[in-house]
Amino acid sequence: MNKGFKKLFIAAALTTALSAPALAEEFIKIGLGAPITGGSAAFGKQLLLGAESAAEAINAKGGVNGKKIRIIQGDDACEPKQAVAVANRFVDQEKVDAVVGHFCSSSTIPASEIYDEANILNVTPASTNPRVTERDLTTLIRVCGRDDQQGEVDAKFIHENLKAKRIAVINDKDTYGVGLANATRDAAKQLGVEVVLEDGVTRGERDYNALVTKIKASDVDAVFFGGLYAEAGLLVRQMRQQGLTIPFVSDDGIADPAFVTAAGGIPFAEGTYMSFLKDPRGEPAAQEVMLKLKEKGSDAEGFTLYSYAAVEAIAAAMDANKGVKDGTVLADWIKNNDIDTVLGRKGWDEKGDPKTNDFIIYVWNKEGQYEPVQ
Amino acid sequence: MEWHILSQQIVNGISLGSIYGLIAIGYTMVYGIIGMINFAHGDIYMVSAYITAIVFAVVTFLGVDAVALSLLITLVITMAITGLYGWYIERTVYRPLRTTNRLAPLITAIGVSLLLQNYVQISQGPNVQGVPSLIPGGFTIGTADEFFRIRYMDMIIVTVSIVAMSLLTFVIHKTSLGRQCRAVEQDRKMATILGINTGRIISTVFVIGSMMAAVAGELVTFNYGSFDFYIGFVLGIKAFSAAVLGGIGSLPGAMLGGLLLGVLESIFAGFVSSDYKDVFSFSMLVLVLVFKPSGLMGRPAVEKV
Amino acid sequence: MSHIPTSTGQDVALASVVPKSPAVDGASATRSSIDFKHSLKDAMVAGVLTMLVFSPITNFILQQYSFKVDWFRTPLFLNGISIGLLVAFVRFFVSVGIQTETGERFTQKYLTAQKGVEVEDEHADGMQRLKKILLWAAIAAGIFMALGLSGVIYLGTAAAVVLVILFIVIAMGVRIPKRRGMKHPWKGALPVLFLVGLVVPLVFFYFGIFGKSWANNLILAMIYVLLGLGLNIVVGLAGLLDLGFVAFYAVGAYFLALGAQYLDIGFWTALILAPVAAALCGGLLGFPVLKMHGDYLAIVTLGFGEIIRLVLVNWIDFTGGPNGAPAPSPTIFNLEFIRRAKGDAVPIHEFLGIPYSSDYKFIFIYLLLFIISMGVLRVFTQLRVMPIGRSWEALREDEIACRSLGINHVTVKLSAFMLGAFTGGIAGVFFATAQGFVSPMSFNFFESVLILSIVVLGGMGNAIGVIIAAFTLTLLPEFLRDFAGYRVLLFGLLMILMMIWRPNGLLRAKRPVFEREEVSV
């Protein structure tokens, strides 16, 4: 009995000794809640890169109110339980001044309640579920768009451009995918498009041939998929391999060159449509940032620049309200002021959503890049 | 029910089922010989997918252009390295636990599974990786409106699986090594008394299982074109269910279980609901086991009193 | 027949060997020549094999369709070549070291340590043992508090560790069943410790060193203690390998969440009803698997667990699907733990006249969970020495002998499942209320495996071991958070090392021993 006791004692001593607090220096601590491990780790990497680049750039110009920004990462693996643990740690132990996070809406929703209780500013760069900002929280700001807006744009495109009368709506059975697929389905029904088939695929599985055959049997004009790039790529590839040539439309979850890899090459990915916010990489403000990111080996795909903009928004709010750490005050300031970010000039409404949401439709082209549909 | 849709689903199912079968072999052989569920087996399959891609990239880089030749070289090297993985893991992690209770290796296998997943994730990055599409195209059977496709890749999968299975069955039943494997499986103590190097045989079984997983890994990588570090997990559970369905410890059972699972899953997903297809698979497994407690082709466990 | 020549041959060999190596000085002469060549060969083989295994993944980095070779990759522990070299060095030194005299002594000691059955009389010198345990606990607690107060580690972390130590000490006392007519050394200590266990968190909280963050972590750890105790009955005592235990956990949690949504069930009602519902599910699971053994049982239970999870994910209309469902917080006599009053519920802080803090809810849940875990522990310890507990263990050892003695294996198996499920249901209710919502993602196969690891690591059947393992496996990932990306990797590695070091669990399962009372005629 004593042996086990000793072992626990030593193990605990060793590991807790390593959780020592840093030497007290004046930093602005911004917590980054993102999936660093797990199935969505690729997106976590984007968020981390964007946030750290923004912090570097701002620190190079003197920081915020003379203090430098430090990004502290917290891994939630896109799991609500870990998101809560990360949120508690940010609030109680690290005592952060603001939070950029999280990525998955299912993580942001519980974590944001903790930040709201602690009155800490919380800016999410990528959670698009409408419920995120519909809960009367006073410290939450969203940099990306919402699923319901995106769904409308998708449905409109399917109805007007593709002239599809019967469609299949597939989701990946996760919060984001289901939310988006439902939004598109509802908007499509309103426009008079018939949703013949609604089904789901399991994340982590790779054989969707049975579903593809089912789609073939249901004789639809187009397929909409709500989900992320790994499943979207596999689905479109297996569709094409079975001889199904109907258009494939998806959402901003596939806005990453990894979609081309997941689809197995440009021939399969070419011609896929997706809805995404107006590409930030075309903005003049983004060019310099892009160069810096290129040096780090990144093409600023997906949500990298959103994470960058989130840090910029936090820094701007803190700069304008010198010394104020009250999350509600900072959030209110953001809602009442436009900020110049790498995504362009952004303004927010009272719910914390961006005022302008130009979701547009892109198509993946022969070079493996996405370009706006004319 | 349109015949072409049903045929397509059956083709899908056979292709999917062959993969399940190949991986189920690894589970069933290891369980048969040391009574351990090797949870890390799915992740060995995942590692083999990565190694396939790496070796293929290197081989192409070195100038081998012919598709068949590069595939063959890749297969051989991948099988060798994956076999080495299996041997290494068995030697370092499982061997010290051979004399302990049944559950210790099980939990250790979980640890190994976690380790492999994260080690690959950290080393190679969490992104999806892929291989170029090498063998597109296939046969189209039917009219322009009602057709189903048998892709070349499907045929290759089935052929390679059959060849691998036959080779393995030949080795198990006709060679001395196979005889020793069967002896150790039936009664380990007696086999040791008779002079068989049990330790080496167990390691060999792990290696064979890993090599089968490597074959599956290569087939799957070139079939689906992409993979990431998480693919071992779901497939591992499915393949293990297939092994149990067919009767654990029985090689033809593993293949049969795999095929059955694949076909039934595809048909259910195609005609009823893709959402609930896993519920269906597991329910079916439970039903079969309730009526035939040792699986379809398993030998009923004889309990000596 | 063939024996005789060989034995005589051996005798001859022996006879020729004996004069050559008399006792001590000859021994040291022959043994001091360490076989360096052999060690070197060993080391090189090990190193090369390690390199071959690790370097394809670490040194050839895939980049979409091409690759990049990085022979000198840093950090070094991610480089297959450096790992291989390290393994070679270590192997060489170990191999050489074993061949020296001190090395041989060390291996002898190590090998004999694992074998053998220890017979320990639990009640010999009970008072002294109690004092020793209390002393160790006090020292450990003192060290951690000192570290925390001086700022070397976070104060909240120190407080949490102290509470864990306190819990374990109390659990050690609880699990000793009372003997008739014996002076029980823990008899006086136990109630005192229990009260201390209730008061200390409040004191910590008052001084602001035990807040929501660690309360939440400890709540989670104690939930896993409950789960571990429940699965301990099924796997540890009854020997039924259950890989789908998370299903009962999910039933408990969703009962609270969906019950609140559809039937207006509050926390306290759910705390009573949900375990019953979970136990019913346990019985339902038990029936079909009565005839199954060993690993068939495992896969069927795994299937059950997955079926429950998949139904929860896909039945969006009823369960909320992947979004999950919210779960209510506990209330004390209709006083709620919220900041602003909704409806006519009175917030507790207004009732007591104290400022609002989001910590109250978690402190309350922690204390409630503490009391209930202690209760469950007591009940289970008692059950173990009762006929039902003994039937479980008998069933595990030999089912056929059990049945031939007249023990109804159906009731025994069902009772094991149902009791385990009951505990899982309790844990589920606490989980739902502590987190505020439930989602199917928290109830996957990996959770079942984690709970099973807790039971196996703790030593199957040993309650204290299960408790220590639960705390270790739950709090370790939290402690390791400073390692960011390598956290899960280290966790997996530690799990492997722990299992290799202690394959039978941290603590050995102790059978309760009854002393015969001396009866004088």
Side-chain angles (χ1 to χ4, degrees), chain B residues 7 60 72 76 103 107 142 230 241 245 259 264:
Chain B
S7 321
T60 324
L72 204 58
V76 170
L103 282 182
I107 304 296
Y230 210 58
S241 313
L245 184 66
L259 281 172
L264 285 173

Side-chain angles (χ1 to χ4, degrees), chain A residues 57 61 279-293 305 308-309 312 339-346:
Chain A
K61 295 204 196 104
D279 196 347
R281 298 181 287 181
E283 299 283 333
Q287 295 313 314
E288 205 188 303
V289 175
M290 294 280 302
L291 283 171
K292 287 251 172 61
L293 285 171
L305 293 176
Y308 197 105
E312 283 183 320
I339 305 178
D340 276 315
T341 68
V342 73
L343 299 171
R345 200 166 174 83
K346 282 267 176 198

Side-chain angles (χ1 to χ4, degrees), chain A residues 164-177:
Chain A
K165 300 213 177 44
R166 297 156 55 91
I167 61 171
V169 175
I170 317 285
N171 64 60
D172 68 352
K173 297 204 278 200
D174 202 23
T175 311
Y176 169 69

Side-chain angles (χ1 to χ4, degrees), chain C residues 313-334:
Chain C
V313 167
N314 287 306
W315 201 357
I316 296 185
D317 299 326
F318 180 56
T319 65
N323 294 326
S329 310
T331 60
I332 313 181
F333 304 117
N334 272 327

Side-chain angles (χ1 to χ4, degrees), chain A residues 36-38 41-42 173 199-200 205-207 209-210 213-214 216-217 229 234 237-238 241-243 261-262 268, chain B residues 5 8-9 12 16 45 121 126-127 130 149 151 220 223-226 229 231 238 269-270 272 274-275 277-278:
Chain A
I36 311 282
T37 58
K173 297 204 278 200
D199 218 329
E205 270 200 24
R206 294 192 298 151
D207 193 292
N209 281 309
T213 311
K214 195 167 167 194
K216 225 164 63 161
Y229 56 78
L234 285 164
R237 178 192 171 112
Q238 287 164 28
Q241 279 180 334
Q242 278 199 31
T261 320
F268 289 112
Chain B
I5 297 291
Q8 181 76 75
Q9 295 291 25
N12 296 337
L16 181 64
Y45 150 77
Q121 180 199 329
N127 285 324
R149 271 193 105 151
R151 293 174 302 134
V220 163
N223 186 21
Y224 297 119
S226 65
F229 63 91
I231 58 176
K238 287 267 176 74
V272 182
S274 183
D275 272 339
K277 80 171 149 82
D278 289 334

Side-chain angles (χ1 to χ4, degrees), chain C residues 34-48 50 83-100 103:
Chain C
I34 301 174
D35 197 347
F36 278 110
K37 245 184 24 180
H38 179 76
S39 303
L40 198 64
K41 200 174 67 145
D42 249 352
M44 284 191 55
V45 166
V48 165
T50 313
I83 297 178
L85 288 170
L86 184 70
V87 166
F89 272 125
V90 168
R91 180 75 194 240
F92 182 69
F93 280 116
V94 166
S95 183
V96 166
I98 284 189
Q99 291 179 48
T100 62

Side-chain angles (χ1 to χ4, degrees), chain A residues 43-335:
Chain A
F43 287 111
K45 214 160 141 198
Q46 289 176 356
L47 294 188
L48 187 60
L49 189 59
E52 285 183 339
S53 309
E56 263 177 44
I58 295 177
N59 287 344
K61 295 204 196 104
V64 174
N65 296 330
K67 296 191 210 154
K68 299 227 188 280
I69 299 180
R70 227 177 100 206
I71 304 283
I72 302 176
Q73 52 171 306
D75 174 22
D76 69 358
C78 198
E79 241 184 73
K81 200 168 61 169
Q82 291 202 43
V84 166
V86 166
N88 277 324
R89 194 181 153 89
F90 278 162
V91 167
D92 288 332
Q93 277 189 279
E94 307 279 358
K95 303 218 191 325
V96 297
D97 301 303
V99 172
V100 171
H102 293 227
F103 176 74
C104 295
S105 304
S106 48
S107 298
T108 307
I109 292 177
S112 56
E113 308 224 349
I114 296 176
Y115 301 132
D116 190 71
E117 291 268 342
N119 217 1
I120 289 183
L121 178 61
N122 177 16
V123 181
T124 171
S127 292
T128 53
N129 195 305
R131 249 184 82 207
V132 169
T133 44
E134 297 281 351
R135 290 167 301 142
D136 292 331
L137 296 180
T138 53
T139 58
L140 185 55
I141 300 282
R142 198 205 308 249
V143 176
C144 52
R146 295 162 53 124
D147 288 340
D148 40 6
Q149 297 157 336
Q150 213 183 138
E152 278 175 22
V153 170
D154 280 313
K156 191 157 153 250
F157 177 75
I158 291 175
H159 177 68
E160 288 177 17
N161 297 56
L162 296 178
K163 307 237 189 292
K165 300 213 177 44
R166 297 156 55 91
I167 61 171
V169 175
I170 317 285
N171 64 60
D172 68 352
K173 297 204 278 200
D174 202 23
T175 311
Y176 169 69
V178 168
L180 203 47
N182 288 348
T184 310
R185 172 200 64 193
D186 295 332
K189 279 196 187 153
Q190 287 223 339
L191 290 173
V193 180
E194 193 187 341
V195 177
V196 174
L197 172 63
E198 259 189 273
D199 218 329
V201 295
T202 317
R203 288 183 66 182
E205 270 200 24
R206 294 192 298 151
D207 193 292
Y208 304 139
N209 281 309
L211 180 61
V212 169
T213 311
K214 195 167 167 194
I215 295 176
K216 225 164 63 161
S218 59
D219 201 23
V220 291
D221 305 317
V223 171
F224 178 80
F225 177 71
L228 301 174
Y229 56 78
E231 288 75 36
L234 285 164
L235 190 56
V236 78
R237 178 192 171 112
Q238 287 164 28
M239 272 173 58
R240 304 292 177 234
Q241 279 180 334
Q242 278 199 31
L244 207 51
T245 49
I246 56 180
F248 185 84
V249 186
S250 188
D251 49 43
D252 61 2
I254 70 172
D256 189 302
F259 170 66
V260 177
T261 320
I266 297 177
F268 289 112
E270 198 186 334
T272 307
Y273 298 103
M274 74 174 189
S275 54
F276 195 23
L277 285 170
K278 236 170 63 182
D279 196 347
R281 298 181 287 181
E283 299 283 333
Q287 295 313 314
E288 205 188 303
V289 175
M290 294 280 302
L291 283 171
K292 287 251 172 61
L293 285 171
K294 201 62 171 207
E295 282 167 28
K296 293 195 189 161
S298 156
D299 256 329
E301 55 267 333
F303 294 95
T304 319
L305 293 176
Y306 289 90
S307 178
Y308 197 105
V311 175
E312 283 183 320
I314 295 176
M318 288 186 170
D319 244 340
N321 299 289
K322 296 207 187 321
V324 172
K325 298 237 173 108
D326 188 319
T328 315
V329 169
L330 291 173
D332 280 335
W333 185 90
I334 294 181
K335 290 175 191 168

